[in-house]
Amino acid sequence: QEFTKSLKFGDRGDDVAKLQAFLIRTKYMPPVAELGTYGKITAKAVLAFQLDNIKLEWYEKKGLFVGKKTLAALNLKYK
C-alpha cells in the first residue's frame, strides 16, 4: 500500500506531496509550482477523485479529508 496516512485540508509534508503527484499524474489536478500543501486546489482534486471512485456520504462531499475509503481507492488505482 502506497497511501496509508489520513490527510486533511491544511496538512503539509511528503504524504501530501505524494498524493498530489498521483492526482496530477491521473489528471485530477493541474501541475502546481510547489507540492506538499493540502490547499484548495488539492481539495478540489480529492473531491473529483472521490466522486469518481468511492461512494461518499452527503457530509463528506467537500474534498477536505482523505480517510479510509479514499485511501483504499487510491491504493487500488495507484500504479
Side-chain angles (χ1 to χ4, degrees):
Q1 286 185 335
E2 237 359 86
F3 298 95
T4 57
K5 184 178 176 189
S6 294
L7 300 168
K8 65 185 181 312
F9 190 85
D11 282 352
R12 297 175 180 270
D14 291 341
D15 289 317
V16 174
K18 182 169 57 174
L19 171 66
Q20 290 169 318
F22 172 79
L23 293 170
I24 291 167
R25 192 173 78 238
T26 54
K27 308 285 190 249
Y28 282 99
M29 182 173 160
V32 292
E34 184 179 330
L35 296 177
T37 301
Y38 193 144
K40 290 179 184 178
I41 295 170
T42 303
K44 184 176 177 182
V46 165
L47 179 59
F49 177 85
Q50 290 171 328
L51 291 173
D52 282 352
N53 293 283
I54 63 174
K55 183 174 179 356
L56 293 174
E57 300 298 332
W58 66 269
Y59 57 85
E60 296 175 301
K61 293 186 178 179
K62 295 182 176 82
L64 301 177
F65 185 72
V66 174
K68 290 180 185 178
K69 289 189 285 188
T70 305
L71 290 170
L74 286 166
N75 285 314
L76 280 175
K77 300 282 183 179
Y78 188 81
K79 294 178 177 103

